[in-house]
Amino acid sequence: MGEMEQLRKEADSLKDQITAARKAVQDSTLQEAAASITVVGRVQLKTRKTLRGHLAKIYAMHWSTDSKLCVSASQDGKLIVWDSITTNKVNAIPLKSSWVMTCAYAPSGNLVACGGLDNMCSIYNLKGKDGNVKVMRELAAHTGYLSCCRFLSDSEIITSSGDCTCVLWDIETGTQKTVFAGHQGDCMSLAVSPDFKFFISGACDFTAKLWDIREASCRQTFGGHESDINAIGFFPNGNAVITGSDDATCKLYDLRADQELITYQDSGIMCGVTSLAPSVSGRLLLAGYDDFNVNIWDALKAERVGVLAGHDNRVSCIGVSSDGMACCTGSWDSFLKIWN
Amino acid sequence: MSNNSAANSSLVIAQKAVKQLRLEASVRRIKVSQAAAELKTFCLQNAHKDPLLTGVPSSDNPFRPPKSCVLL
C-alpha cells in the first residue's frame, strides 16, 4: 500500500476515533440538564440611542472595555469612536482603504484597529501626544482579506483572514509572531477566551477551531454546520463556544466535552446569521440575521424569547458591553442602535 | 516544479493532517452531563448580574436620562 493511501486510512480511522470518543461521553444532553428550569420570560429591549453619522453600510463594531465608548467601521471609509451615552463622536478617523470589514478596540482603550479588502490590519493610536489620531502600524502579510481582528493587549493582536489563516502579531515590530494554519476555507471570525490563553475561529469550511495561543497549535475542531460560519463567540465562562452560520442556525459547542450541545434554530428562520453576542450571564444569546432582525435566544432552552426589530437593512454586527448593561447593533442601513 | 515535488508536498500535507488528528483525538473529554450542569449553574448564578435579562430600572440606566421636574 502506498504511503498516501496509508495516511488516508489513518486519517479516516482517527476521525472515527474522535466521533466514538465524543459519543462515549454523551451520557446526557443540555436539554435534559435544563429540563427543570423554565424558559425566560419574553425579553423586550428598547432602542435607547441611535448613533447617526456613517454614510454607508456598517460592517463592524466593538465595545471598549469601559462599556461607554465603542468603535464602528463603515464602507464610507471611516472608523468612528462613539460615546454611546451622549451619542457624540469622540473620533472620526478617515481610512486609507474604504473597504473595511472589521474593527477592534484594545482592552486598554488606547488603540483601535481595522482592516478589510486591503489585506492589512491598521492600528491607530487614540491617545497620541498632539491629540491627532494617526496610523501607528500597518500589519501586512495576509494574502487575503482581513475578516476580523482582536487585541490581546497594546502590543499583540490576532487577525483572521480570507487566506484561511489567523495570525498573532507583534504590534511594536509589525511582524507575525505565529501563523495559525489549518482551516480549509476563508476564516470569517475570531474571538479571544476570557483568560486570553485561547482563541476560536469560524470559517467557510463550516468548522470552528480552538487554538492555544502560546503553544501555537489547534486543540480542537468542531463541525456540524452546513454552511459558512460567519460569527463566533465565547460563552462568558470560557468553557463553551457559540457559532452563527449561513445555514440559519447557531450552535453551542462545549470545549471540555468536545462536542456540540445544542442548535438554535427555528423553521421560520431561513436566512444566515451574521453576528452574535451572549449576555453576561450567558443565558441570552443575541444573534443578528440577514433578514434585518436580531433574535434573542434562551441559550439553555434553545427557544426564541425576543426580537430586536429596528433596522432597515441587514444587521452586520452586534456586541454586548462588558458590564452587560447594553447591546449595540450595527447595520447596512448605516446606523448603530443601543438597546436595553 | 517536477511531478516528484508535487507528490512530496501532498505527502507532507497528509502527514500534517494525520498529526493534527492524533492531537485532537487525544483531548481529555468530560461527560456531557457535567459540562451541561456547569453551564446551567453559571447562567443561574450570574442571572442577577445580567441587566439585559433582569431589566434595568430607568433610575439606574445610563442610557436613559432620568425624568426631571423643572421648577418654574
Side-chain angles (χ1 to χ4, degrees):
Chain A
M1 189 189 307
E3 197 177 345
M4 265 312 275
E5 186 53 36
Q6 218 168 339
L7 288 169
R8 208 169 292 143
K9 278 206 143 191
E10 194 175 354
D12 286 342
S13 158
L14 285 164
K15 285 180 192 163
D16 290 341
Q17 242 181 274
I18 292 171
T19 304
R22 285 171 167 165
K23 231 194 155 80
V25 295
Q26 213 175 69
D27 60 340
S28 182
T29 61
L30 181 56
Q31 287 91 326
E32 273 178 55
S36 58
I37 57 177
T38 44
V39 180
V40 304
R42 188 125 196 100
V43 175
Q44 285 173 312
L45 304 183
K46 295 202 170 81
T47 301
R48 301 299 178 191
K49 305 284 178 186
T50 299
L51 307 180
R52 293 166 221 273
H54 279 302
L55 303 171
K57 294 174 176 171
I58 290 172
Y59 273 79
M61 69 77 49
H62 196 212
W63 282 99
S64 168
T65 48
D66 70 359
S67 297
K68 195 177 71 144
L69 301 178
C70 64
V71 64
S72 61
S74 162
Q75 294 206 344
D76 64 1
K78 291 247 169 35
L79 217 58
I80 299 180
V81 176
W82 309 84
D83 177 323
S84 62
I85 296 178
T86 61
T87 73
N88 287 341
K89 298 174 193 45
V90 178
N91 301 104
I93 307 163
L95 305 174
K96 266 194 205 171
S97 162
S98 63
W99 304 111
V100 67
M101 293 172 70
T102 181
C103 63
Y105 221 124
S108 65
N110 295 331
L111 311 173
V112 288
C114 68
L117 294 183
D118 59 354
N119 298 0
M120 290 194 314
C121 182
S122 301
I123 314 285
Y124 294 83
N125 185 356
L126 297 176
K127 308 283 170 79
K129 281 187 201 127
D130 54 0
N132 276 335
V133 176
K134 289 187 299 202
V135 180
M136 199 182 102
R137 217 47 101 230
E138 280 175 342
L139 308 174
H142 277 300
T143 53
Y145 59 87
L146 206 85
S147 53
C148 194
C149 58
R150 284 293 177 259
F151 284 92
L152 293 183
S153 65
D154 280 3
S155 54
E156 289 180 316
I157 191 167
I158 300 184
T159 55
S160 63
S161 168
D163 68 11
C164 309
T165 70
C166 294
V167 171
L168 169 68
W169 303 83
D170 178 325
I171 295 175
E172 202 47 44
T173 59
T175 55
Q176 297 175 293
K177 269 185 161 169
T178 313
V179 177
F180 300 90
H183 274 300
Q184 312 267 293
D186 299 13
C187 294
M188 297 303 291
S189 187
L190 78 98
V192 180
S193 66
D195 64 7
F196 291 93
K197 290 185 183 165
F198 301 94
F199 77 93
I200 42 174
S201 57
C204 292
D205 61 4
F206 312 173
T207 71
K209 284 180 181 287
L210 175 75
W211 307 87
D212 183 319
I213 298 175
R214 302 305 158 191
E215 295 279 306
S217 62
C218 169
R219 287 278 204 94
Q220 289 162 265
T221 301
F222 301 98
H225 274 297
E226 295 169 0
S227 189
D228 301 352
I229 293 176
N230 298 318
I232 199 161
F234 269 94
F235 186 84
N237 70 357
N239 287 339
V241 161
I242 308 164
T243 53
S245 165
D246 271 348
D247 68 8
T249 74
C250 292
K251 285 178 186 289
L252 182 140
Y253 298 91
D254 189 281
L255 298 179
R256 296 176 308 154
D258 184 41
Q259 57 193 274
E260 176 189 328
L261 292 194
I262 207 157
T263 298
Y264 305 95
Q265 66 190 345
D266 184 312
S267 54
I269 303 173
M270 289 174 291
C271 60
V273 178
T274 60
S275 48
L276 62 84
S279 68
V280 293
S281 70
R283 186 65 194 268
L284 299 177
L285 170 63
L286 295 97
Y289 293 74
D290 279 341
D291 66 359
F292 313 173
N293 289 330
V294 170
N295 286 311
I296 305 178
W297 298 86
D298 177 327
L300 295 179
K301 305 292 280 183
E303 283 187 41
R304 258 202 296 181
V305 294
V307 176
L308 300 183
H311 283 291
D312 294 325
N313 207 323
R314 177 186 288 190
V315 173
S316 55
C317 50
I318 193 166
V320 171
S321 55
S322 320
D323 64 4
M325 197 57 81
C327 158
C328 177
T329 52
S331 166
W332 280 10
D333 69 7
S334 82
F335 303 117
L336 293 138
K337 285 179 185 289
I338 310 287
W339 312 73
N340 69 12
Chain B
M1 209 187 238
S2 72
N3 245 352
N4 250 344
S5 45
N8 278 343
S9 70
S10 303
L11 210 60
V12 168
I13 290 170
Q15 283 164 346
K16 278 191 179 169
V18 164
K19 191 174 174 203
Q20 179 59 35
L21 283 167
R22 274 198 207 123
L23 207 97
E24 293 184 23
S26 69
V27 156
R28 272 196 66 238
R29 298 170 182 83
I30 66 168
K31 295 232 186 287
V32 169
S33 54
Q34 185 194 340
E38 291 184 23
L39 285 176
K40 181 179 96 174
T41 303
F42 184 87
C43 285
L44 297 178
Q45 282 179 346
N46 290 285
H48 67 284
K49 292 190 256 176
D50 189 341
L52 294 180
L53 186 62
T54 61
V56 191
S58 16
S59 49
D60 298 339
N61 193 345
F63 298 96
R64 228 178 152 181
K67 293 207 195 317
S68 50
C69 295
V70 178
L71 292 174
L72 295 166

